Amino acid sequence: MSKPSSQDDDDILHMFVRSFAQTETWKLAAQLIKSPRFTEALSSYCEVMTRPPEISWPVNKVFAQKLRYIVCFDLIGNYSRWRRRGAEPPTLAALQRTAPASARQVASFVNALRLGGYVIAERGQDRRTLHLRPSSALLKEIARSPLAFLEASERIFPVPTSLVSRIGNNDELLADWLGRSVERFRSRDIYFAPFPTIVQFTEHDCGYPLLTAVMGANYASLSPGAPPALPLTYMALAKRFRVSRQHIGNLFIGAKRRGWFSVVRGGKSVVVSQDLIREFEIWAAGQMAHYRIIAGEIAN
């Protein structure tokens, strides 16, 4: 795969975010994607995102889908703003007003999170309302991809003291870091909306982890130094992501029909379209930059 290291920033950022190229995030993203270390760092990110979960609860099934993930992100954001600047208390009603789902869906999902130990309901000062506090487990699960992107950025531009370690091992900092990300997303979505193919993958159960498995296999085939890739067989992917083989097959068939990628040789290799590679890499560079900038702010 060719790396556009000789191109100018507009060409590197392509049509996806060209209108945002002068923002702080996308200036840093352009520097990241031009680095000769970028592909290696991105392949390591893909490997992290395809590791098996550490707990038995079906976290991939629950969190690896856009709507449920955003509800959790909003819950953390509400809690973070309340703790940091005395904003509206993080109640269920507050979450229902901001989350991209019906009030009934949000209430049902929050109840499941409480039963799973991912959300703690605590009495407010007036004793009549319940505040929703994200547990350490929820913070770490929602931060899985952000922390992996931050770690990838540190592979490209190292820092004297790892921001990943400092933030990842401190729940208060982790909540603040994720909460600030939510605020910027709400203020102006220049991080997610410009990437329609990535968005389509996130709308399916385990669609995004599956995409990282495919991209990891793509990089592994191109670079001897890339981490070993997860086999792209229905059985291996269904077992890793705890979904049915039919679900994996449906995602593969849909991707092939749209010209995104095609798994060949019985899952031993994959052919990925250059358009998807470009979109994934620009998306990833933006995520690395987004979380790196916020990490630098709260670590000072």
Side-chain angles (χ1 to χ4, degrees), residues 73-239:
F73 230 127
D74 280 350
L75 188 152
I76 293 168
N78 289 350
Y79 180 78
S80 172
R81 281 193 304 279
W82 172 67
R83 284 291 303 270
R84 180 157 37 95
R85 60 175 192 240
E88 180 181 10
T91 63
L92 176 60
L95 181 61
Q96 288 170 323
R97 284 193 292 272
T98 60
S102 71
R104 184 176 180 178
Q105 286 177 308
V106 173
S108 178
F109 183 47
V110 168
N111 186 55
L113 292 174
R114 290 178 61 183
L115 291 174
Y118 282 90
V119 169
I120 296 94
E122 301 174 327
R123 291 287 175 188
Q125 288 186 345
D126 61 7
R127 309 300 297 172
R128 293 177 297 175
T129 58
L130 289 175
H131 294 176
L132 302 178
R133 175 169 65 86
S135 70
S136 179
L138 181 65
L139 290 171
K140 287 180 171 54
E141 193 55 47
I142 296 304
R144 185 180 182 191
S145 179
L147 284 172
F149 274 129
L150 181 58
E151 182 178 14
S153 81
E154 292 187 349
R155 287 176 178 268
I156 300 170
F157 296 145
V159 290
T161 302
S162 173
L163 295 168
V164 174
S165 297
R166 182 172 179 187
I167 293 172
N169 294 321
N170 184 312
D171 284 355
E172 186 174 335
L173 283 179
L174 194 57
D176 188 20
W177 185 55
L178 294 174
R180 290 170 189 254
S181 174
V182 174
E183 290 178 20
R184 296 188 187 193
F185 176 83
R186 284 180 176 173
S187 173
R188 187 185 187 195
D189 181 9
I190 63 174
Y191 318 102
F192 204 91
F195 304 96
T197 308
I198 307 299
V199 170
Q200 287 189 59
F201 275 101
T202 66
E203 290 171 346
H204 299 280
D205 287 343
C206 297
Y208 183 71
L210 178 75
L211 175 61
T212 61
V214 167
M215 298 308 297
N218 175 67
Y219 296 129
S221 70
L222 298 172
S223 173
L230 182 67
L232 299 180
T233 65
Y234 288 12
M235 182 177 294
L237 294 169
K239 183 178 179 180

Side-chain angles (χ1 to χ4, degrees), residues 3-5 12-13 28-36 38-39 156-157 278 281-283 285:
K3 178 56 57 192
S5 57
I12 289 171
L13 298 183
L28 177 55
Q31 296 174 33
L32 288 162
I33 205 169
K34 284 189 292 187
S35 168
F38 179 76
T39 299
I156 300 170
F157 296 145
R278 180 185 287 270
E281 293 191 349
I282 296 174
W283 144 265

